[in-house]
């Protein structure tokens, strides 16, 4: 079971949760057991201290009773009253005999004058004398007193009883040793370990009696010596393999010495019952974990196995098997998921069927599209290759369809395409070898002619052109439409479908260019295409290798002769061909769309030049030409804005020149682009004005600032009255529309003077300057003598 699998994660999660819960429970129980055990031990020790105190009181009471018997003995009283030596012996004998009966360690008689009269042990009597003398007053007042004395570091319980007859004639003193017997009695009574100790004035401890063994006593003594002052609360001591919780009870003090009783309870014994409970709990935990493991594995399998089956089903769906069964009788969330999978399968199957239809069939005409046509063509080529036959392809592009689409609208154009498709199907339906019609895209159609030769293909092409000669009737309007057809065949022109389509497309464009209706592919046709491809590759390399050069031609104010602007031009410095003039590559660049790259390059270099001139104090408006392809680029204003910002130049320093034909190719999109450029601050100019077919009403709606008269009118203006009239009319028209007028192609002083007379605002031409490299403009401006020309 891999850990990354859902099943292993579920099992792991269950186990981790169980272990955490059990560990937390065990810790809480352990702490509770320890707390309860400690509380029980503390209670036992407190009760033990009380029992020990009562035991001491009981012993003291027994001693006092024994002492009272002696003090009331008639013979003893009679002997005390005499001072003879025989009476003294009697007293000592009575003291000794009575002391033995009650197991007293020492018995003595003290006179009312606080003098020791007789004792059974002179050494003890001397050690106890000072303490006994201090107890006499209390004993006389309370008919007895008791205390604890320490003699030679050994503790004794002392009882003092007055001897009255009826006045006090003496005091009987008895001592009871606190020894092993007391410790054993205490252990038997309370089950607590008992250790009696004394401590001298130098804080040295001496064990007196104990219910523990010598080794345990020795370990306790070592720990006591290191503790200093004894704790007032219970504390733990280590006796080797066991721990005692002990409580110290002070028995008494005597002249700097102290006697204590240490009562101890074994922690292991106190927690023995709890330990058995812990073992039971641990056993239950292990058993619970085993049960949980089994339950979690079963649960995980019940969850993961259906998911695994759904994953296998998903893989089959991925492979395209939409008949796989996704049955599930479960009524839970997994059953809902399985049901959702089934719905998803049905939905995917339907959508894939629709996608296949859209991928291989044209939704507008319900004809095969390019992809499907290519499959059919390759199948036909395969069949022809097997039997040594031939296959021909006709590719057709409608004439004037774009114009119809723009003028009449896209709905009209779609209806037109449907009618064309219907005519093609109707014409080719009764052939002996069925032809396959397809729409390749836009207004392009293709016809597959299996088992046909070139003559048959040419005949079919002629029939199609004849069918399209009849006007189409749409929405009560008659539309004339023609077509250009390219013909290519296997094996003469290509060995696979892609190659045949490419060759037929080349032939089709040739037919449209030549206006020949139908053209059969020839190798000679393709050479021009290869040259165009080569030129495009070289143009790309020219931009990458910096082979393009920026040239400029100055523009002057005709009234004053001041340099007011410049037109940016591009030249190509080819490494092999040398200088390539614009008319050799600009038309091709416009045709292929590469003109956008060139326009971007020209504007980039122009902005760079504009910035450099401004730093030298030369402020000129730069005119840059835009093509049809540029105007159709809706991102053009954004691209220009980036260039202006990068070179820190104002859009107002630029005038963008557009030809009338460029505007009329797609008036709506062109106007949108021009309005956005004008709103940025750029001036707009209509270049080559007078050569196009634009409507003045449309031009009036454009945000134009300038009209530029085509040089074809300016060049012959001096000698041609008609051209001069056109120029004058254009100048008046521009001024009436609020525009400035620029004339290009000024090649003589006479032309300058006539234009200035007519009120033309600005001009440019060879008379002032030929186009020059951009780097030479600054010095040219400084050397230009406007005053000489103005004269």
């Amino acid at each position: 079971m891999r850990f990354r699998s859902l099943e292993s994660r579920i099992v792991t999660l269950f186990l981790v949760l169980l272990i955490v819960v059990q560990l937390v429970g065990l810790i809480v129980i352990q702490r509770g057991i320890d707390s309860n055990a400690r509380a029980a031990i503390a209670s036992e020790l407190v009760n033990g201290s009380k029992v020990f105190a009562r035991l001491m009181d009981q012993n003291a009471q027994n001693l006092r009773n024994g002492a009272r018997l002696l003090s009331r003995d008639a013979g003893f009283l009679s002997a005390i009253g005499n001072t003879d030596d025989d009476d003294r012996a009697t007293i000592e004998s009575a003291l000794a005999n009575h002391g033995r009966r009650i197991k007293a360690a020492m018995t003595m008689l003290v006179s009312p004058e606080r003098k020791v009269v007789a004792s059974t042990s002179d050494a003890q009597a001397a050690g106890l004398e000072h303490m006994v003398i201090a107890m006499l007053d209390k004993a006389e007042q309370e008919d007895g007193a008791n205390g604890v004395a320490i003699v030679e570091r050994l503790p004794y319980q002392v009882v003092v009883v007055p001897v009255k007859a009826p006045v006090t004639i003496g005091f009987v003193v008895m001592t009871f040793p606190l020894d092993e017997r007391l410790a054993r009695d205490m252990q038997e009574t309370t089950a607590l370990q008992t250790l009696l100790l004394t401590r001298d004035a130098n804080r040295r401890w001496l064990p007196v009696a104990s219910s523990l063994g010598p080794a345990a006593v020795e370990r306790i003594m070592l720990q006591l010596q290191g503790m200093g002052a004894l704790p007032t609360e219970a504390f733990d001591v280590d006796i080797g393999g066991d721990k005692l919780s002990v409580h110290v009870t002070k028995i008494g003090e005597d002249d700097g010495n102290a006697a204590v009783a240490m009562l101890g309870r074994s922690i292991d014994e106190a927690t023995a019952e709890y330990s058995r409970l812990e073992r039971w709990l641990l056993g239950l935990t292990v058993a619970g974990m085993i049960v949980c493991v089994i339950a979690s594995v079963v649960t995980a399998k019940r969850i993961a196995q259906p998911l695994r089956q759904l994953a296998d089903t998903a893989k089959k769906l991925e492979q395209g098997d939409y008949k796989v069964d996704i049955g599930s009788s479960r009524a839970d969330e997994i059953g809902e998921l399985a049901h959702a999978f089934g719905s998803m399968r049905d939905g995917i199957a339907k959508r894939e069927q629709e996608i296949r239809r859209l991928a291989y069939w044209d939704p507008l005409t319900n004809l095969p599209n390019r992809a499907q046509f290519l499959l059919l063509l390759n199948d036909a080529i395969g069949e022809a290759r097997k039997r040594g036959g031939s296959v021909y392809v006709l590719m057709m592009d409608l004439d004037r369809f774009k114009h119809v689409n723009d003028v009449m609208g896209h709905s009209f154009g779609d209806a037109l395409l449907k009618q064309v498709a219907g005519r093609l199907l109707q014409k080719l339906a009764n052939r002996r070898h069925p032809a396959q019609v397809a729409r390749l895209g836009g207004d392009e159609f293709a016809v597959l002619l299996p088992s046909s030769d070139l003559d048959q293909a040419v005949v079919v092409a002629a029939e199609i052109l004849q069918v399209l000669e009849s006007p189409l009737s749409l929405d009560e309007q008659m539309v004339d439409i023609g077509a250009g057809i390219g013909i290519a065949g296997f094996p003469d022109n290509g060995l696979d479908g892609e190659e045949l389509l490419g060759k037929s497309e080349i032939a089709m464009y040739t037919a449209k260019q030549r206006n020949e209706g139908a053209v059969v592919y020839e190798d000679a046709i393709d050479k021009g295409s290869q040259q165009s491809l080569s030129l495009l590759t070289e143009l790309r390399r020219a931009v990458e290798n910096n082979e393009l050069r920026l040239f400029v031609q100055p523009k002057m104010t005709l009234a004053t002769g001041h340099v007011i602007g410049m037109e940016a031009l591009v030249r190509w410095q080819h490494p092999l061909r040398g200088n390539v003039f614009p008319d050799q590559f600009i038309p091709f660049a416009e045709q292929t769309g590469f003109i956008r790259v060139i326009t971007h390059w020209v504007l980039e270099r122009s902005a760079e030049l504009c910035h450099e001139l401004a730093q030298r104090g030369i402020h000129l408006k730069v005119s840059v030409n835009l093509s049809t392809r540029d105007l159709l680029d809706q991102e053009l204003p954004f691209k220009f804005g980036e260039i202006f910002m990068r070179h820190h130049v104002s859009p107002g320093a630029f005038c963008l020149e557009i030809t009338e034909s460029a505007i009329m190719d797609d008036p709506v999109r062109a106007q949108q682009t021009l309005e956005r450029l004008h709103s940025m601050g750029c001036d707009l100019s209509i270049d080559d004005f007078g050569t196009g077919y634009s409507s003045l009403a449309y031009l009036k709606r454009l945000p134009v600032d300038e009209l530029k008269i085509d040089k074809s009118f300016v060049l012959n203006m001096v000698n041609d009255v008609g051209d001069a009239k056109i120029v004058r009319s254009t100048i008046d028209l521009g001024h009436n529309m609020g525009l400035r007028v620029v004339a290009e192609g000024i090649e003589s002083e006479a032309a300058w003077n006539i234009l200035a007379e007519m009120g033309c605002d600005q001009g440019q031409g060879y008379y002032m300057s030929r186009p020059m490299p951009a780097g030479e403009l600054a010095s040219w401006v400084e050397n230009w003598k406007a005053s000489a020309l103005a004269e």
Side-chain angles (χ1 to χ4, degrees):
M1 183 168 58
R2 296 177 294 110
F3 180 73
R4 294 181 61 184
S5 67
L6 178 62
E7 184 176 341
S8 62
R9 290 179 182 180
I10 293 174
V11 173
T12 303
L13 177 62
F14 271 90
L15 288 179
V16 169
L17 288 176
L18 177 65
I19 291 172
V20 169
V21 171
Q22 292 293 344
L23 285 177
V24 171
L26 287 174
I27 292 172
V28 171
I29 292 172
Q30 176 64 41
R31 290 185 178 180
I33 288 173
D34 185 69
S35 176
N36 290 336
R38 291 285 180 177
I41 291 173
S43 178
E44 287 186 46
L45 293 177
V46 170
N47 293 333
S49 298
K50 294 178 181 179
V51 171
F52 184 81
R54 295 198 48 144
L55 189 60
M56 290 285 290
D57 290 342
Q58 182 179 345
N59 288 337
Q61 188 63 37
N62 290 336
L63 286 175
R64 290 171 71 170
N65 291 335
R68 285 193 182 96
L69 289 175
L70 178 62
S71 66
R72 294 170 183 173
D73 183 78
F76 183 70
L77 290 173
S78 176
I80 292 175
N82 297 317
T83 59
D84 295 337
D85 292 337
D86 291 339
D87 291 328
R88 181 179 179 84
T90 301
I91 291 172
E92 290 178 351
S93 175
L95 290 174
N97 291 333
H98 204 77
R100 280 196 299 274
R101 282 199 301 269
I102 63 173
K103 298 180 181 180
M106 187 273 296
T107 309
M108 68 178 178
L109 176 65
V110 180
S111 68
E113 292 79 17
R114 274 54 171 176
K115 299 292 183 181
V116 177
V117 177
S119 71
T120 57
S121 173
D122 293 337
Q124 281 193 19
L128 292 172
E129 185 174 0
H130 70 283
M131 183 177 180
V132 170
I133 297 303
M135 296 172 62
L136 294 180
D137 291 337
K138 182 179 180 181
E140 186 174 9
Q141 293 172 4
E142 298 179 3
D143 193 27
N146 60 279
V148 175
I150 300 173
V151 181
E152 296 179 353
R153 300 189 67 186
L154 297 177
Y156 292 90
Q157 193 169 23
V158 180
V159 175
V160 179
V161 177
V163 180
K164 295 182 179 181
V167 296
T168 301
I169 58 174
F171 296 91
V172 175
V173 180
M174 290 187 175
T175 63
F176 183 82
L178 302 179
D179 53 10
E180 300 287 347
R181 182 171 59 84
L182 178 61
R184 285 195 299 272
D185 290 346
M186 185 64 190
Q187 184 187 21
E188 291 172 0
T189 303
T190 63
L192 298 176
Q193 301 292 349
T194 305
L195 175 61
L196 303 179
L197 305 131
T198 60
R199 186 181 65 184
D200 60 17
N202 295 323
R203 307 184 70 82
R204 291 177 300 177
W205 290 96
L206 175 69
V208 176
S210 175
S211 60
L212 296 166
V217 173
E218 183 178 356
R219 293 179 70 90
I220 293 174
M221 297 306 296
L222 290 174
Q223 294 177 63
L224 287 177
Q225 293 297 342
M227 289 177 64
L230 287 176
T232 57
E233 301 294 332
F235 61 96
D236 294 347
V237 293
D238 187 0
I239 60 173
D242 193 6
K243 278 189 177 182
L244 293 180
S245 180
V246 299
H247 183 271
V248 177
T249 301
K250 186 177 290 186
I251 301 175
E253 289 185 278
D254 182 11
D255 195 21
N257 297 321
V260 298
M262 181 180 288
L263 304 178
R265 182 73 166 96
S266 171
I267 296 176
D268 289 344
E269 291 179 3
T271 59
E273 291 296 329
Y274 297 113
S275 297
R276 283 193 291 273
L277 176 61
E278 284 183 337
R279 287 192 291 272
W280 270 102
L281 289 175
L282 184 61
L284 290 175
T285 299
V286 173
M289 289 180 64
I290 294 173
V291 172
C292 185
V293 168
I294 296 172
S296 61
V297 169
V298 172
T299 303
K301 284 186 177 296
R302 281 184 55 81
I303 296 174
Q305 188 172 359
L307 294 179
R308 196 176 294 115
Q309 292 174 350
L310 291 177
D312 294 338
T313 300
K315 291 179 181 178
K316 292 180 180 178
L317 293 177
E318 180 186 4
Q319 296 169 0
D321 182 7
Y322 299 112
K323 296 182 180 179
V324 60
D325 181 40
I326 314 178
S328 178
S329 58
R330 297 177 60 153
D332 55 8
E333 288 81 357
I334 294 179
E336 293 178 3
L337 179 61
H339 179 72
F341 254 76
S343 300
M344 182 184 70
R345 174 200 59 192
D346 298 339
I348 290 175
K350 291 179 181 178
R351 282 191 293 274
E352 183 165 327
Q353 185 178 3
E354 180 64 17
I355 289 171
R356 284 181 175 275
R357 190 185 70 81
L358 294 175
Y360 293 104
W361 293 86
D362 175 45
L364 179 64
T365 60
N366 205 28
L367 293 176
N369 61 10
R370 186 183 188 91
Q372 178 71 358
F373 184 78
L374 189 60
L375 293 175
L376 296 172
L377 176 56
N378 284 323
D379 291 342
I381 290 174
E383 290 294 327
R385 186 178 285 114
K386 290 178 183 178
R387 59 182 179 357
S390 59
V391 175
Y392 274 82
V393 173
L394 277 60
M395 185 175 291
M396 180 183 73
D397 184 85
L398 301 180
D399 295 335
R400 299 179 298 278
F401 176 76
K402 184 177 184 303
H403 178 72
V404 172
N405 210 32
D406 291 339
V407 174
M408 306 301 294
H410 292 287
S411 298
F412 191 91
D414 290 345
L416 177 64
L417 292 175
K418 289 181 181 179
Q419 279 212 16
V420 170
R423 285 196 179 187
L424 292 176
L425 289 173
Q426 184 178 4
K427 182 62 181 177
L428 301 173
N430 299 321
R431 282 178 49 82
R432 186 165 59 90
H433 297 289
Q436 179 66 60
V437 181
R439 181 188 175 207
L440 304 185
D443 59 344
E444 289 186 358
F445 291 85
V447 178
L448 172 60
L449 300 175
S451 304
S452 298
D453 55 23
L454 178 58
D455 293 337
Q456 293 173 332
V458 171
V459 171
V460 171
E463 292 175 351
I464 292 174
L465 292 172
Q466 185 179 5
V467 166
L468 294 178
E469 287 180 0
S470 301
L472 298 171
S473 177
L474 289 171
D475 296 338
E476 299 181 355
Q477 297 192 43
M478 302 300 293
V479 180
D480 289 319
I481 195 164
I485 299 177
I487 304 171
F490 167 85
D492 296 337
N493 306 128
L495 301 178
D496 59 48
E498 286 286 359
E499 188 176 5
L500 275 187
L501 283 177
K503 298 292 179 66
S504 61
E505 187 174 16
I506 292 171
M508 178 190 71
Y509 283 121
T510 302
K512 291 179 73 69
Q513 290 172 2
R514 297 178 183 175
N515 198 23
E516 292 184 2
V519 170
V520 180
Y521 174 81
E522 296 177 354
D523 291 339
I525 298 175
D526 207 13
K527 288 181 181 179
S529 300
Q530 292 175 357
Q531 290 175 356
S532 298
L533 183 61
S534 175
L535 181 59
L536 180 59
T537 303
E538 290 182 358
L539 269 177
R540 294 185 188 279
R541 190 182 300 115
V543 175
E544 294 170 359
N545 298 339
N546 202 23
E547 296 174 8
L548 299 182
R549 300 288 183 267
L550 181 67
F551 275 59
V552 294
Q553 186 176 35
K555 294 171 66 176
M556 282 74 173
T557 302
L558 296 180
T560 63
H562 290 140
V563 181
I564 193 69
M566 58 179 169
E567 181 176 3
L569 306 168
V570 64
R571 298 291 185 266
W572 183 3
Q573 185 66 38
H574 196 282
L576 299 178
R577 304 181 191 176
N579 289 326
V580 181
F581 290 99
D583 56 359
Q584 294 177 297
F585 66 89
I586 290 297
F588 173 75
E590 290 181 344
Q591 180 183 355
T592 58
F594 195 75
I595 192 66
R596 293 183 178 181
V597 178
I598 295 178
T599 301
H600 189 277
W601 183 91
V602 170
L603 189 67
E604 188 86 43
R605 296 297 176 271
S606 299
E608 185 179 348
L609 174 62
C610 186
H611 180 70
E612 292 174 359
L613 292 174
Q615 289 182 325
R616 298 178 62 171
I618 302 173
H619 300 281
L620 302 177
K621 188 179 287 290
V622 185
S623 296
V624 178
N625 289 282
L626 297 184
S627 70
T628 304
R629 299 273 190 168
D630 294 322
L631 291 180
L632 297 181
D633 183 5
Q634 297 297 301
E635 296 296 320
L636 186 68
F638 175 75
K639 295 175 182 177
F640 279 14
E642 284 188 331
I643 294 175
F644 297 150
M645 291 180 61
R646 186 161 53 248
H647 293 286
H648 307 288
V649 295
S650 170
F654 286 81
C655 180
L656 305 178
E657 298 185 356
I658 316 102
T659 63
E660 295 178 76
S661 58
I663 297 173
M664 296 312 296
D665 277 354
D666 193 337
V668 176
R669 292 176 64 182
Q671 183 169 353
Q672 290 175 351
T673 304
L674 292 175
E675 287 176 348
R676 290 175 61 192
L677 289 170
H678 192 264
S679 66
M680 291 171 57
C682 296
D683 281 0
L684 300 178
S685 174
I686 302 296
D687 195 13
D688 300 337
F689 185 77
T691 61
Y693 302 95
S694 58
S695 165
L696 289 177
Y698 175 72
L699 289 178
K700 185 179 66 174
R701 295 199 303 268
L702 294 177
V704 179
D705 303 280
E706 177 182 284
L707 288 183
K708 197 168 186 181
I709 304 172
D710 186 63
K711 64 182 180 180
S712 63
F713 302 115
V714 177
L715 288 174
N716 300 321
M717 179 183 63
V718 176
N719 302 317
D720 190 324
V721 177
D723 285 346
K725 290 181 178 179
I726 292 175
V727 171
R728 180 182 295 277
S729 300
T730 303
I731 294 172
D732 293 340
L733 174 64
H735 288 165
N736 290 333
M737 294 178 68
L739 307 176
R740 65 176 176 268
V741 182
V742 180
E744 60 178 347
I746 302 175
E747 296 189 356
S748 65
E749 184 178 358
W752 176 306
N753 293 331
I754 292 173
L755 288 168
E757 247 179 64
M758 292 179 176
C760 186
D761 301 301
Q762 299 173 12
Q764 66 186 84
Y766 285 1
Y767 174 65
M768 292 84 90
S769 173
R770 289 178 175 272
M772 68 185 77
E776 299 176 5
L777 178 65
S779 59
W780 185 92
V781 171
E782 292 172 357
N783 295 328
W784 171 254
K785 303 298 182 183
S787 59
L789 289 175
E791 294 175 356

